Amino acid sequence: MSEKNKKNPAVKNDKKVKDNTNAASLLDFDDDDPLGATSVSKKSLVIFFLIDTSGSMNGKKMGELNTIMEELIPEIRRVGEADTDVKVAVLTFNTEIAWMYPEPINIEDFEWTRLKAEGVTSMGAAFTELSAKMSRSSFLNSPSLSFAPVIFLMTDGYPSDDYKTGLKTLKANSWYKFGLKAALGIGNEANDDMLAEFTGTKDTVVHAYTGGQLAQMIKIVAVTASQIGSKSMTLSDSNEKELTEDDVYAKKQQMLGQQIQELVDQTDGQNVPFDTGW
Amino acid sequence: MFNGFSHSVMGASHEKKGTVCQDSSAYVANDRYAVAVVADGHGSKKHFRSNIGSRSAVEATLETIENFYRNADEFEEKFPKNPKLVIKSIEKQVIARWNAKITEHLRQNPVTKDEKKDFTTDEFKKIPFESYYGSTLITAVVCEKFSFGFQIGDGSLVAVFEDGETVMPIGDDESAPANITASLCNSNASSMFNSFFEQNKTVAALFTSTDGLYTSFGSDNDFLDYHTIISSQLSEIDEFEGAIVKNLTKRSHFGTEDDTSLSCVYSQEIVDEKNDVLTAKVEENKRLAKERKERMLNRA
């Protein structure tokens, strides 16, 4: 190639933009950006809520849950303000399973749809459905990097289907494996041992026996899990030893368990129990 | 006549750590062909010279393509008869040149005590020297008769055709096993490339970018639309180039904070002639994006 028709073959690296341009103007992002039609994505966190809407939830439990979830959304919105795009996906299960929205919704656009309770508890089918959607080719298809998801299960009873098969499918899913799992048992019938099978540890299983506790527990778990879930943990420790993803996951899940238990200990046990008052 | 641009900006996370930009980018454009190339040096500590590795990758690629074009008529005549074979041959020559460059760099710049300080003696012995310089590579080439590209490791190659259709012609990486980042430093690097060849559609512009760009988008649609918008402005590139650099800087600060490189080559005649088509495509994309959002918010 002759020199005269070779254009700009110089290789660019080793220099910050400010070395050859005006840094102040480059970092002034408030003006009109012709490329702004395609927005910048931060690192994203999807919070999955798995909610039991079977008949036993009917009445005050469902009413309270709807109200709490409406109030919770602005609180979660604040978690993601700084560095994280928080998205929410809600899967309800009774005789049928259904997603509230066709895909995870940015928390800024999310509006809670009040749920109704009826039918039986197809929790195993919900686990299978969750596993199918927790995939790069489905709900987790954003090019931007994703934190491992938060998965929060709420139920007031025992599954009426074969939940173990569904859970086995879910446990083979890498997003589930690295996700932060928590569960809330509502009322006397919910089985904490079964919920611990879902979370992998009893530390992230909490129980609400009253309307007041339900509000407290949902907020404690959802907000704490979102905060820890969106926390960037370096992949090296203080000795510069590189950590594996397993190490980071284990640290986060442990942190979630500790913080949830600390916060639960601080709550009081007032209000009328679900199963006596409702 | 072909034209182009290339930019590498440092990610905010690297600025905070005080490290160098590990990306490299370049383009060559003349009246016969054009090449857009980017490379992303790996970030982990055993790749402590990956900025040199990425720069060597870009240089090796430009030299290799130039070498193949020494007899341009013959090259363009023979290439379409067996594109896979020719691309494979180019990839192998790129690897050979890259290896020669890093070998020479190491000969002239032996590893220092400071570079070794984060490793035990045994740890350091186990690192092949090629790993010091580990890098990805994404290359796109266009001439009047055809276009092609090849890639090893993360990153993107986008083609914008004269009708505004915008695609990523290289599919998902199937050559690298799960959890293994394909890299020039791998001993089986030549088997880890993916490539494309196109001679039936006329390319308006070809883009290569490091993964810092792709991961700053919320969807593939947004990512592709971004390239269509740039293509619609290439007729007035002198006025628009500042906006591109500014946007890349924004993405490297507010996205995943990774180094970000974008290299582009285009046919000046086609982007001038088809400017109305490309502009109309941008408007259509905006309408489609709005419809997608409305569908997404449609609750059950």
Side-chain angles (χ1 to χ4, degrees):
Chain A
M1 185 192 325
S2 67
E3 279 305 311
K4 69 176 182 180
N5 61 13
K6 185 194 286 186
K7 293 192 73 171
N8 192 21
V11 178
K12 298 178 183 180
N13 87 347
D14 283 321
K15 54 188 171 190
K16 299 177 183 179
V17 169
K18 65 184 175 191
D19 290 342
N20 53 10
T21 23
N22 184 326
S25 67
L26 283 171
L27 294 171
D28 173 15
F29 298 131
D30 293 327
D31 59 350
D32 287 338
D33 180 355
L35 291 162
T38 53
S39 59
V40 180
S41 263
K42 303 170 202 164
K43 210 167 173 181
S44 63
L45 170 71
V46 180
I47 305 173
F48 288 94
F49 289 99
L50 274 67
I51 301 179
D52 179 352
T53 54
S54 61
S56 57
M57 288 284 288
N58 195 22
K60 208 165 179 182
K61 285 180 195 166
M62 201 74 254
E64 286 276 356
L65 191 141
N66 277 322
T67 304
I68 296 159
M69 292 304 290
E70 283 169 346
E71 291 171 1
L72 180 69
I73 298 305
E75 292 199 32
I76 297 179
R77 216 167 267 162
R78 282 194 285 277
V79 173
E81 266 178 7
D83 304 312
T84 311
D85 281 332
V86 176
K87 294 179 180 178
V88 174
V90 179
L91 177 62
T92 60
F93 55 94
N94 48 42
T95 309
E96 306 290 329
I97 51 173
W99 291 98
M100 188 175 282
Y101 285 89
E103 59 185 282
I105 295 294
N106 194 303
I107 192 76
E108 300 302 325
D109 297 319
F110 188 88
E111 287 181 40
W112 184 257
T113 303
R114 290 187 74 84
L115 301 170
K116 290 178 183 170
E118 59 187 359
V120 296
T121 313
S122 304
M123 195 186 293
F127 289 159
T128 305
E129 169 65 14
L130 176 65
S131 184
K133 291 295 192 290
M134 277 202 304
S135 155
R136 271 277 172 220
S137 58
S138 188
F139 275 12
L140 300 168
N141 63 354
S142 170
S144 59
L145 297 183
S146 302
F147 288 108
V150 168
I151 311 166
F152 185 8
L153 169 67
M154 300 181 218
T155 180
D156 76 334
Y158 206 78
S160 53
D161 63 354
D162 173 17
Y163 79 93
K164 283 187 182 290
T165 301
L167 192 55
K168 191 178 172 189
T169 305
L170 192 54
K171 284 189 172 178
N173 183 309
S174 294
W175 292 98
Y176 169 86
K177 185 181 164 194
F178 291 112
L180 283 178
K181 281 109 37 196
L184 168 63
I186 304 169
N188 291 329
E189 298 300 314
N191 183 320
D192 286 358
D193 290 335
M194 193 242 76
L195 295 179
E197 277 185 68
F198 168 79
T199 61
T201 167
K202 282 198 169 180
D203 289 346
T204 54
V205 176
V206 294
H207 214 112
Y209 295 97
T210 70
Q213 284 180 350
L214 183 68
Q216 285 175 329
M217 296 306 160
I218 289 178
K219 285 181 185 173
I220 285 172
V221 173
V223 173
T224 309
S226 307
Q227 285 167 340
I228 294 175
S230 61
K231 190 179 172 67
S232 283
M233 295 183 76
T234 53
L235 287 170
S236 61
D237 64 13
S238 53
N239 299 320
E240 289 294 311
K241 179 174 176 268
E242 293 191 4
L243 300 175
T244 65
E245 287 184 345
D246 284 350
D247 296 332
V248 172
Y249 152 73
K251 275 194 174 184
K252 282 193 167 188
Q253 186 74 22
Q254 186 188 13
M255 200 185 291
L256 178 64
Q258 284 169 350
Q259 290 193 17
I260 285 176
Q261 292 307 321
E262 281 170 19
L263 290 166
V264 167
D265 288 344
Q266 291 166 19
T267 62
D268 54 35
Q270 297 170 4
N271 289 336
V272 181
F274 280 122
D275 298 312
T276 54
W278 302 348
Chain B
M1 179 68 193
F2 292 100
N3 209 335
F5 65 82
S6 70
H7 297 286
S8 291
V9 299
M10 184 184 263
S13 62
H14 288 181
E15 279 192 7
K16 283 177 203 161
K17 287 183 200 162
T19 54
V20 296
C21 180
Q22 288 157 343
D23 274 10
S24 296
S25 60
Y27 78 95
V28 164
N30 54 49
D31 53 5
R32 189 79 201 221
Y33 72 93
V35 188
V37 56
V38 297
D40 181 354
H42 305 326
S44 61
K45 69 177 185 180
K46 70 179 175 183
H47 308 296
F48 51 85
R49 290 184 175 181
S50 68
N51 60 317
I52 308 293
S54 69
R55 196 165 64 197
S56 301
V58 167
E59 289 170 353
T61 304
L62 295 180
E63 288 166 17
T64 302
I65 302 294
E66 185 180 356
N67 191 43
F68 271 81
Y69 255 98
R70 281 193 194 285
N71 187 337
D73 289 337
E74 186 185 355
F75 175 69
E76 290 187 0
E77 188 198 330
K78 286 185 176 173
F79 194 160
K81 291 175 184 165
N82 199 340
K84 279 190 177 177
L85 195 69
V86 178
I87 291 171
K88 185 52 69 187
S89 172
I90 292 172
E91 291 164 356
K92 284 182 175 171
Q93 287 202 25
V94 168
I95 293 170
R97 276 196 167 83
W98 181 78
N99 272 301
K101 283 177 185 292
I102 62 165
T103 303
E104 179 59 18
H105 183 271
L106 185 63
R107 193 185 66 77
Q108 291 187 16
N109 305 273
V111 178
T112 64
K113 280 184 182 172
D114 192 49
E115 287 174 320
K116 286 183 186 176
K117 74 178 181 344
D118 292 333
F119 305 92
T120 65
T121 307
D122 282 347
E123 277 175 346
F124 194 79
K125 273 183 187 167
K126 287 178 188 165
I127 307 172
F129 86 89
E130 292 91 342
S131 283
Y132 312 161
Y133 299 87
S135 177
T136 68
L137 175 69
I138 306 102
T139 305
V141 183
V142 60
C143 65
E144 278 194 8
K145 294 178 179 170
F146 53 80
S147 57
F148 67 97
F150 50 91
Q151 167 174 357
I152 182 166
D154 293 338
S156 301
L157 196 160
V158 172
V160 180
F161 297 109
E162 61 175 348
D163 61 357
E165 182 192 7
T166 303
V167 299
M168 287 185 268
I170 296 180
D172 285 341
D173 190 359
E174 291 166 5
S175 59
N179 301 323
I180 300 290
T181 302
S183 167
L184 285 170
C185 71
N186 291 338
S187 55
N188 58 341
S190 71
S191 66
M192 300 181 102
F193 276 89
N194 287 303
S195 64
F196 87 97
F197 175 78
E198 175 62 60
Q199 63 178 346
N200 298 321
K201 291 181 183 175
T202 303
V203 161
L206 287 176
F207 297 83
T208 54
S209 56
T210 54
D211 67 346
L213 186 65
Y214 181 67
T215 56
S216 73
F217 287 86
S219 72
D220 280 5
N221 285 313
D222 274 2
F223 180 65
L224 292 172
D225 291 354
Y226 182 82
H227 293 81
T228 321
I229 294 172
I230 295 176
S231 299
S232 73
Q233 303 290 330
L234 290 173
S235 288
E236 306 289 342
I237 190 62
D238 291 344
E239 292 170 27
F240 194 62
E241 201 161 350
I244 294 171
V245 176
K246 203 166 182 174
N247 188 269
L248 292 175
T249 307
K250 174 161 59 173
R251 290 182 175 281
S252 66
H253 275 75
F254 293 101
T256 49
E257 301 192 343
D258 199 0
D259 296 339
T260 300
S261 294
L262 178 67
S263 190
C264 166
V265 287
Y266 55 95
S267 159
Q268 191 67 56
E269 288 79 12
I270 291 172
V271 297
D272 289 344
E273 189 185 317
K274 300 290 182 181
N275 187 251
D276 289 349
V277 176
L278 295 168
T279 304
K281 191 72 178 175
V282 169
E283 292 308 312
E284 185 191 347
N285 289 345
K286 284 182 189 170
R287 181 178 57 76
L288 293 172
K290 196 177 168 194
E291 287 175 9
R292 279 195 300 274
K293 180 154 189 184
E294 284 169 358
R295 274 200 303 278
M296 185 177 75
L297 294 177
N298 187 18
R299 279 179 280 180

